[in-house]
Each structure stands twice: as structure tokens, then as C-alpha cells.
Amino acid sequence: GAGVSQSPSNKVTEKGKDVELRCDPISGHTALYWYRQSLGQGLEFLIYFQGNSAPDKSGLPSDRFSAERTGGSVSTLTIQRTQQEDSAVYLCASSLVAGGPPDTQYFGPGTRLTVL
Amino acid sequence: DQQVKQNSPSLSVQEGRISILNCDYTNSMFDYFLWYKKYPAEGPTFLISISSIKDKNEDGRFTVFLNKSAKHLSLHIVPSQPGDSAVYFCAASETSGTYKYIFGTGTRLKVLA
């Protein structure tokens, strides 16, 4: 079956521009996560969606970052007024259900964002 | 404050030998641990996990050991194969309803043929 897909795979933008990154989770997965991996760093949690519940935005680094999930499926991560420190690989993951014992998160291939 | 640490950024092992990847954590509330493997240009893929009620979990060539008193876990790969060359991340979580994984910085394993 289809895994988690993300688009674009690479994005180069100029400082100050806005970017949108897209994630298509595995069909039927109710939980969706965004992470980012900066150079030499581990995966950093950004935001989490579970069904119709309010998202956990506690990992978003600034108010320039926002995300939405439409219809409980596709998610878009938006970064406004990009800065060079936003350059990273942005990874999306989904899981069947969250809460209780952790279930396996399945990751997409990521979007490599480069801010010039 | 890095709650999950992988202090070895890289490791080289001869094919057929054992690979041992280490991970330390500081948060005593963590009770569920995972290892993910990542190839270049791909997302991390789940490899193996362990709950804190166990001290060992084995899946084929992969075994994870957990030492709760030392807050240390390790991944053993025996025998190592060239296809195992990848970046390995350990992650930790609390099972008390939280879903967040805290990841380490990864160890790049290179298995030499």
C-alpha cells in the first residue's frame, strides 16, 4: 500500500518568502506529526494532529510556523517570512492511532528546505 | 537540553561482525524506546522497539537491550551486512498517553564489505 508522501521533495526559497509543505498520510491513519531535522541534529517534534482534536503545537519554534490538516487527511505546514535557520529537512509521519501505548509512526521521505 | 543522546556520530564495522549502537537518556519517565533506520533521501523506518518492562527484545539479526538503572539502551546487529549501512536513530516516549517521540541525533553506521 501507499506510504506517507510529501511534496515537494526539495524546495529552495529566498529569505523572507513564504513556503508551504504538503503531507499525505497513510490512508486510515488518524494521527499525523511534523518533525524537522536540522544539520547535525536529531528529529525535532513540531506539531501533532489527532482526529478532530485541537492540534498540539507545542513544538513550533515561532509564530511564523503554522500547520493545518484538512478533512482529517492531508496536512500543510506553512512557514512565513522564511529565515536561513529554517533550512532543514521537514518530515511528516502518521500513525494508526495515538494515545495509550505508542504505536509505530511511519515517516515520509521529507522535504529538504533551503533558505538562501 | 538533549533528553536522548547518541554520543557516537559514526561507526564502522566489518561485514559479518557485530554492530553495537548506543543511546542514553535522562528522563526517568521514558518507558518506551524505539530504533529507526534512515537511508539517504528516505524517511526513517521503524526497526525495533522495547518497553521498560523488558530488558531485551530480539527480532532476527536485531536485538535491543535496555538498562533502566543506567538509562541506557543499545542496538546490536549480528551479523552486520553492507545493507545495514544507514543512520540509526533511537527515540524515547512515555506511554502515559503521550505520543511524542524524543529522538537522538543519530549514529551513522557503515558496514564494510
Side-chain angles (χ1 to χ4, degrees), chain A residues 33 35 37 40-45 48 56 58-59 89 91 98-110, chain B residues 2 31-32 34 36 38 41-46 87 89 93-106:
Chain A
Y33 315 76
Y35 293 85
Q37 186 183 14
Q41 302 296 314
L43 279 70
E44 175 190 4
F45 168 81
Y48 156 77
D56 177 351
S58 61
V89 176
L91 291 155
D103 63 330
T104 302
Q105 295 181 20
Y106 296 87
F107 283 83
Chain B
Q2 195 77 22
D31 56 4
Y32 191 78
L34 310 93
Y36 275 79
K38 185 181 185 301
E42 294 182 13
T45 56
F46 171 75
V87 177
F89 292 96
S93 179
E94 301 174 38
T95 56
S96 56
T98 186
Y99 39 79
K100 293 179 188 176
Y101 291 177
I102 307 298
F103 283 86
T105 53

Side-chain angles (χ1 to χ4, degrees), chain A residues 80-104:
Chain A
Q80 296 178 309
R81 304 181 303 281
T82 52
Q83 304 294 312
Q84 288 182 330
E85 61 263 29
D86 300 334
S87 297
V89 176
Y90 288 81
L91 291 155
C92 175
S94 70
S95 65
L96 192 59
V97 64
D103 63 330
T104 302

Side-chain angles (χ1 to χ4, degrees), chain B residues 9-30:
Chain B
S10 64
L11 175 68
S12 291
V13 172
Q14 206 67 33
E15 180 180 8
R17 307 294 288 268
I18 184 171
S19 295
I20 300 177
L21 297 97
N22 293 303
C23 180
D24 297 288
Y25 61 97
T26 57
N27 188 341
S28 58
M29 297 299 292
F30 289 148

Side-chain angles (χ1 to χ4, degrees), chain A residues 17-94:
Chain A
K17 295 286 179 73
D18 298 351
V19 295
E20 284 189 354
L21 312 179
R22 178 189 168 102
C23 172
D24 282 90
I26 293 173
S27 177
H29 280 193
T30 62
L32 186 147
Y33 315 76
W34 282 97
Y35 293 85
R36 75 174 175 183
Q37 186 183 14
S38 304
L39 193 64
Q41 302 296 314
L43 279 70
E44 175 190 4
F45 168 81
L46 296 178
I47 188 169
Y48 156 77
F49 296 90
Q50 167 59 29
N52 295 320
S53 302
D56 177 351
K57 305 178 183 179
S58 61
L60 295 179
S62 79
D63 58 8
R64 296 185 296 104
F65 288 72
S66 62
E68 62 178 23
R69 188 178 185 192
T70 54
S73 181
V74 171
S75 177
T76 302
L77 176 69
T78 302
I79 309 173
Q80 296 178 309
R81 304 181 303 281
T82 52
Q83 304 294 312
Q84 288 182 330
E85 61 263 29
D86 300 334
S87 297
V89 176
Y90 288 81
L91 291 155
C92 175
S94 70

Side-chain angles (χ1 to χ4, degrees), chain B residues 3-107:
Chain B
Q3 296 187 67
V4 178
K5 301 177 186 178
Q6 293 177 259
N7 292 319
S8 297
S10 64
L11 175 68
S12 291
V13 172
Q14 206 67 33
E15 180 180 8
R17 307 294 288 268
I18 184 171
S19 295
I20 300 177
L21 297 97
N22 293 303
C23 180
D24 297 288
Y25 61 97
T26 57
N27 188 341
S28 58
M29 297 299 292
F30 289 148
D31 56 4
Y32 191 78
F33 306 89
L34 310 93
W35 285 93
Y36 275 79
K37 178 169 74 172
K38 185 181 185 301
Y39 292 118
E42 294 182 13
T45 56
F46 171 75
L47 193 57
I48 193 169
S49 63
I50 188 167
S51 165
S52 61
I53 62 173
K54 295 185 174 182
D55 54 18
K56 176 183 174 181
N57 189 25
E58 190 172 353
D59 184 2
R61 297 186 296 113
F62 302 91
T63 303
V64 55
F65 294 91
L66 175 62
N67 182 334
K68 291 186 290 292
S69 60
K71 295 191 179 69
H72 176 84
L73 65 154
S74 61
L75 175 68
H76 292 209
I77 307 173
V78 183
S80 301
Q81 299 174 353
D84 296 329
S85 298
V87 177
Y88 290 79
F89 292 96
C90 70
S93 179
E94 301 174 38
T95 56
S96 56
T98 186
Y99 39 79
K100 293 179 188 176
Y101 291 177
I102 307 298
F103 283 86
T105 53
T107 296

